[in-house]
Amino acid sequence: MSFELKYAIIHSFTKESKQSYATNIVKKTALLKNELPAVMSLVQGVSALLGKPGNILSYGQFSNDMRQGKFPAEFDCYSSKPLDAAAFISMSHLAVDELAAASESESFSTGGHILVSYYLIDNKKFILVAMIKQRGGVSLDKDYVPIAVTEIDLSKVHQAARINLSRYVEVAAQPGLSNDDDEDVVEERTYLSFVGQGTHNLASGYFVKALGCTKGISSSRATGNVISAVRTFFSSAELKPHRSAACNGVIAYLKKKLDAKENAVLNDLVYAAIATLTEGQSAIIDQLKEFLNDERTKIPAEFAIHAPTLRKKTMIKGETANWTMQFEQGMLGLTANAAIIYNEDKKTLTFTNLGEKLISDIESELKQR
């Protein structure tokens, strides 16, 4: 995976928890020098942490509810032309101004150093805005130039937003949405990923609100994606024997939460999937969490469960002119202990555990022939 850093800069503002105002807003005018190893390590390190356990991402786009602040509209102007150094610095100044102002509405928010960077990963352009603390592996000099970057503490990068600029340009070129568009069409227009508004991290929600971010993954897409993604993850030779149990565990969890009218939580979904594993759980937990939360699958930290999609994903249906059948996927198997047995050679289904009522009806019908 190639990484190319274009620009990076660090600003700051001061605000203490329970304080109602931000002070000492410092907006630098000189870019950091890309050739400095500590600069490259910092930007790459922070970018790599997004989506890792402890920094689970939500996906979405800029809001247009008239409460999104100045950043989305200004960013649109910057994205329509080559992002040179002067435009980048101006955009970064706007970001820190909006962050400082928004922090005042959240009593538990705190200030710090704001890293803004523009880089390419495999030729895809990204803008990253992240709050960093001068501890947990990051040291800055008096001019906010990184002088030492060791292993960055996951818990110190819990406020960040990343804009897929390449994707943003693609979405901007598409026709506008109408009220008739379904929620999956809306989801296809996501270009933001962010931390700071997920489960158990509400106090830092001001960070993504300041930049005008809003969640955009539909409940139907998230519900369907998580079941498909777990099936894919457990398709390796090592994990395939556990695939059925993993899918059944996730489905059972989703049904339980749906019945309780509660949201699904990514961390809990992962534990539901690996519940039957007896070895290597700790390694698989992190791997599965990253797999589900990455840019392709986009399972957010928390989402509402879409009942029709859950039914569709968990039921197998079939019919001819003479009969109709419907059963849960978990009932299907290849061995004699399955409730419904599929014979791969004969291409037939055998139903077991029919129940006394059904058996009685079948035998009564046969006796009358």
Side-chain angles (χ1 to χ4, degrees), residues 58 114 125 127 131 191 194-195 215 229 234 239 304 315 318 335:
S58 292
I114 309 298
K125 301 174 183 177
I127 302 293
M131 178 81 76
Y191 45 78
F194 48 87
V195 292
K215 294 179 181 179
F234 280 83
L239 294 176
M315 302 298 292
T335 59

Side-chain angles (χ1 to χ4, degrees), residues 148-168:
V149 178
T150 57
E151 184 176 351
I152 302 173
D153 189 337
L154 289 169
S155 66
K156 304 305 185 294
V157 193
H158 64 283
Q159 298 174 72
R162 181 172 60 195
I163 307 164
N164 185 329
L165 183 56
S166 297
R167 179 65 181 148
Y168 180 88

Side-chain angles (χ1 to χ4, degrees), residues 174-218:
Q174 296 174 6
L177 294 172
S178 72
N179 292 333
D180 295 329
D181 288 313
D182 64 36
E183 57 184 4
D184 283 345
V185 173
V186 177
E187 187 276 336
E188 290 298 338
R189 298 193 171 203
T190 58
Y191 45 78
L192 288 175
S193 52
F194 48 87
V195 292
Q197 201 178 23
T199 306
H200 310 310
N201 199 18
L202 297 177
S204 57
Y206 85 92
F207 190 90
V208 296
K209 291 178 182 176
L211 301 180
C213 306
T214 186
K215 294 179 181 179
I217 298 295
S218 68

Side-chain angles (χ1 to χ4, degrees), residues 298-341:
K298 297 182 179 179
I299 304 301
E302 183 176 333
F303 62 91
I305 300 162
H306 192 249
T309 300
L310 182 57
R311 286 195 296 270
K312 181 179 178 181
K313 279 287 186 177
T314 58
M315 302 298 292
I316 293 177
K317 300 179 181 179
E319 62 180 301
T320 68
N322 301 314
W323 55 258
T324 300
M325 69 173 182
Q326 176 176 305
F327 55 86
E328 293 186 1
Q329 293 177 359
M331 307 292 285
L332 185 65
L334 299 173
T335 59
N337 61 347
I340 302 172
I341 306 167

Side-chain angles (χ1 to χ4, degrees), residues 27-273:
K27 294 182 285 187
K28 293 295 185 178
T29 57
L31 295 171
L32 297 174
K33 296 179 180 179
N34 294 353
E35 61 270 21
L36 295 176
V39 172
M40 182 66 75
S41 295
L42 176 61
V43 177
Q44 279 189 295
V46 174
S47 177
L49 290 180
L50 301 187
K52 300 290 186 181
N55 284 300
I56 297 301
L57 295 170
S58 292
Y59 292 88
Q61 53 273 115
F62 287 131
S63 175
N64 60 357
D65 60 2
M66 307 305 293
R67 292 178 294 180
Q68 67 270 21
K70 299 177 182 178
F71 190 80
E74 292 291 334
F75 182 85
D76 187 66
C77 294
Y78 293 126
S79 69
S80 62
K81 54 190 176 183
L83 190 60
D84 60 21
F88 172 80
I89 292 172
S90 178
M91 179 190 66
S92 73
H93 287 177
L94 176 62
V96 75
D97 283 340
E98 292 293 283
L99 288 168
S103 71
E104 296 178 352
S105 64
E106 173 52 63
S107 62
F108 288 99
S109 65
T110 57
H113 290 83
I114 309 298
L115 169 68
V116 185
S117 55
Y118 171 35
Y119 54 87
L120 279 68
I121 297 179
D122 293 338
N123 293 319
K124 293 182 179 179
K125 301 174 183 177
F126 293 90
I127 302 293
L128 172 67
V129 183
M131 178 81 76
I132 59 174
K133 306 290 185 180
Q134 280 210 76
R135 55 183 185 272
V138 179
S139 296
L140 308 176
D141 68 13
K142 62 182 179 62
D143 293 318
Y144 297 172
V145 176
I147 54 177
V149 178
T150 57
E151 184 176 351
I152 302 173
D153 189 337
L154 289 169
S155 66
K156 304 305 185 294
V157 193
H158 64 283
Q159 298 174 72
R162 181 172 60 195
I163 307 164
N164 185 329
L165 183 56
S166 297
R167 179 65 181 148
Y168 180 88
V169 173
E170 291 176 6
V171 170
Q174 296 174 6
L177 294 172
S178 72
N179 292 333
D180 295 329
D181 288 313
D182 64 36
E183 57 184 4
D184 283 345
V185 173
V186 177
E187 187 276 336
E188 290 298 338
R189 298 193 171 203
T190 58
Y191 45 78
L192 288 175
S193 52
F194 48 87
V195 292
Q197 201 178 23
T199 306
H200 310 310
N201 199 18
L202 297 177
S204 57
Y206 85 92
F207 190 90
V208 296
K209 291 178 182 176
L211 301 180
C213 306
T214 186
K215 294 179 181 179
I217 298 295
S218 68
S219 60
S220 61
R221 182 59 64 94
T223 302
N225 279 5
V226 71
I227 297 172
S228 299
V230 168
R231 185 177 298 277
T232 299
F233 182 84
F234 280 83
S235 293
S236 66
E238 179 185 1
L239 294 176
K240 195 169 184 178
H242 306 283
R243 184 171 63 184
S244 179
C247 290
N248 289 341
V250 167
I251 290 169
Y253 169 81
L254 292 173
K255 288 181 177 179
K256 180 180 178 181
K257 287 295 183 179
L258 181 63
D259 291 341
K261 298 181 180 180
E262 297 175 350
N263 287 347
V265 178
L266 180 59
N267 285 339
D268 297 339
L269 279 163
V270 169
Y271 282 100

